[in-house]
Amino acid sequence: MTQKARLYSGMQPSADSLQIGNYIGALLQWRDMQDTYDAFFSVVDLHALTQPNDPAELREKTRRTAAQYIAAGIEPSRSTLYVQSHVRAHAELAWILSTITGFGEAGRMTQFKDKSQRYGADATSVGLFTYPVLMAADILLYQTHVVPVGDDQKQHVELTRDLAERFNARYGETFRVPEPVIQAETARIYDLQNPSAKMSKSAESHAGVLWLLDDVDVTAKKIMRAVTDNDGVVAYDREGKPGVSNLLTIYAALTGRQIPSIEDEYAGRGYGDFKKGLRDVVVAEFEPVRARALELLDDPAELDRVLAVNAEKAAAVADETLSTVYDRVGLLRRA
Ligand code: TYM
């Protein structure tokens, strides 16, 4: 039997619900890839600490994120679905990797630059600065072949590759150098009210964010109010018609249809009809996921049990890599 290649990915528990960009840009790919890969999916709660959090809410968001993975089709009996902080090796490897990361190198990460600008110097923590190093630790601990992500994470995966190569060159072959997997068509879903900005869990206004766990009527209203343009033609043109193009991308991703066939269907019918069509598609997709997630959240003890079993599986893999790393860098092992 040939061994399956390893896949690693994760999401921050930074909101009560995932948004449709997480769903289309990441979860749908994860679901499809879990058959062919030995997949590890984490809820990266240590990363979420880089934003202000209420402790009880963070715990709840962590469970909610895990429940949405499962509801969207990640099977915790096949894929290793766990919570990052349950596996201590992540924080430990992040420290070691931080010692081979350049200050300037970390400072060039665009997400850090954006977020630190938004928060201001005083509210920007060292943790936010080293965030991508912890992400590299996540990926490298599992000897990962592929990392499916949306395109905002590409630079972080590039850094991960650089750190793996640097460590291997300095201390001997230790880490597999991972490849990002980015689905070009769906790598970036935009905010429905501001189609030049990426849809984000941490957006200031939620008017243009479609949440997986929102009430159906709220989701429907947001779609009907999505920003479009004045020419009334359902056609894909990312530059000239960013709002309509984003809606077409969502429509195509959820139905598996090609964009030209959707354009044909709505030719001469205007935006109202098109939005109603999209509304039906999104609601039909979200409803079962939402229902299943809420059902799972009704039994937190069972969810916690599943996460604990999987954390043990993850730790077994991660500890082996960490142990090699400790030896390679020359840490004296406890007798
Ligand atoms: P996070 O939690 O911001 O996002 C989770 C995943 O969703 C994708 N995504 C999008 N895709 C398309 N359009 C959008 N509008 C959109 N918004 C988010 C993200 O690209 C991501 O794939 N740093 C990571 C979490 C992380 C991680 C890891 C990922 C930590 N360690 C190791 C992979 C491997 C993050 O903040 O993702």
Side-chain angles (χ1 to χ4, degrees):
M1 197 183 91
T2 51
Q3 275 228 316
K4 286 181 178 172
R6 176 105 4 110
L7 177 157
Y8 193 94
S9 202
M11 292 193 197
Q12 292 196 69
S14 47
D16 284 336
S17 170
L18 299 176
Q19 40 90 0
I20 199 168
N22 305 129
Y23 185 76
I24 292 176
L27 265 177
L28 286 182
Q29 290 183 68
W30 295 6
R31 187 175 69 195
D32 291 346
M33 292 172 88
Q34 67 180 337
D35 293 330
T36 12
Y37 289 91
D38 177 18
F40 284 68
F41 299 114
S42 58
V43 179
V44 295
D45 53 348
L46 295 172
H47 277 110
L49 289 177
T50 59
Q51 287 173 341
N53 269 296
D54 173 80
E57 281 177 14
L58 177 59
R59 270 187 284 276
E60 183 57 19
K61 287 172 184 171
T62 301
R63 280 205 190 99
R64 289 174 84 91
T65 304
Q68 288 170 90
Y69 285 7
I70 299 172
I74 303 302
E75 290 176 35
S77 52
R78 265 202 300 171
S79 298
T80 309
L81 190 177
Y82 72 101
V83 175
Q84 183 190 34
S85 67
H86 293 178
V87 177
R88 288 171 188 265
H90 290 254
E92 294 182 42
L93 181 61
W95 171 256
I96 307 241
L97 293 177
S98 76
T99 66
I100 64 162
T101 308
F103 195 82
E105 189 175 37
R108 280 193 292 278
M109 295 293 116
T110 51
Q111 273 210 340
F112 170 72
K113 287 198 279 191
D114 290 351
K115 285 192 180 166
S116 55
Q117 238 166 27
R118 212 181 325 146
Y119 301 162
D122 289 342
T124 298
S125 67
V126 173
L128 191 67
F129 186 62
T130 58
Y131 177 113
V133 179
L134 178 59
M135 179 162 160
D138 299 342
I139 297 167
L140 297 181
L141 276 173
Y142 297 88
Q143 305 294 352
T144 301
H145 294 82
V146 294
V147 186
V149 282
D151 86 344
D152 59 341
Q153 298 302 316
K154 185 165 184 225
Q155 198 187 23
H156 293 161
V157 182
E158 296 296 340
L159 176 73
T160 303
R161 290 171 55 83
D162 290 345
L163 293 179
E165 280 166 1
R166 190 171 309 152
F167 189 98
N168 290 347
R170 207 169 284 181
Y171 297 109
E173 225 27 65
T174 306
F175 296 123
R176 176 170 287 117
V177 181
E179 299 284 343
V181 175
I182 297 169
Q183 218 89 59
E185 306 79 26
T186 54
R188 191 166 281 245
I189 301 295
Y190 296 86
D191 190 286
L192 264 43
Q193 286 301 318
N194 178 11
S196 59
K198 185 191 77 166
M199 192 184 289
S200 163
K201 292 199 241 47
S202 51
E204 265 164 37
S205 157
H206 290 174
V209 181
L210 295 182
W211 302 103
L212 215 47
L213 300 185
D214 245 348
D215 281 340
V216 167
D217 333 344
V218 176
T219 299
K221 269 200 196 108
K222 285 180 179 172
I223 294 171
M224 296 310 290
R225 289 182 187 154
V227 165
T228 49
D229 50 51
N230 291 326
D231 71 12
V233 181
V234 179
Y236 189 92
D237 170 4
R238 182 62 228 147
E239 297 297 308
K241 298 166 68 67
V244 173
S245 302
N246 188 42
L247 299 180
L248 276 165
T249 302
I250 295 173
Y251 202 125
L254 295 184
T255 55
R257 287 174 59 187
Q258 300 295 319
I259 286 179
S261 110
I262 304 168
E263 289 170 339
D264 287 350
E265 183 181 338
Y266 291 99
R269 290 172 56 188
Y271 295 149
D273 265 8
F274 172 54
K275 285 178 170 176
K276 279 187 200 150
L278 179 65
R279 176 196 64 193
D280 294 346
V281 165
V282 173
V283 165
E285 179 84 16
F286 277 16
E287 254 197 328
V289 178
R290 175 172 183 269
R292 178 80 184 113
L294 295 180
E295 196 179 285
L296 289 160
L297 287 166
D298 264 347
D299 190 354
E302 173 57 14
L303 188 58
D304 289 357
R305 189 194 63 77
V306 169
L307 292 172
V309 170
N310 278 314
E312 231 169 280
K313 284 202 273 175
V317 178
D319 289 347
E320 198 179 314
T321 304
L322 187 69
S323 172
T324 309
V325 168
Y326 274 24
D327 284 337
R328 294 273 154 87
V329 299
L331 297 177
L332 176 68
R333 309 314 296 278
R334 189 172 67 189

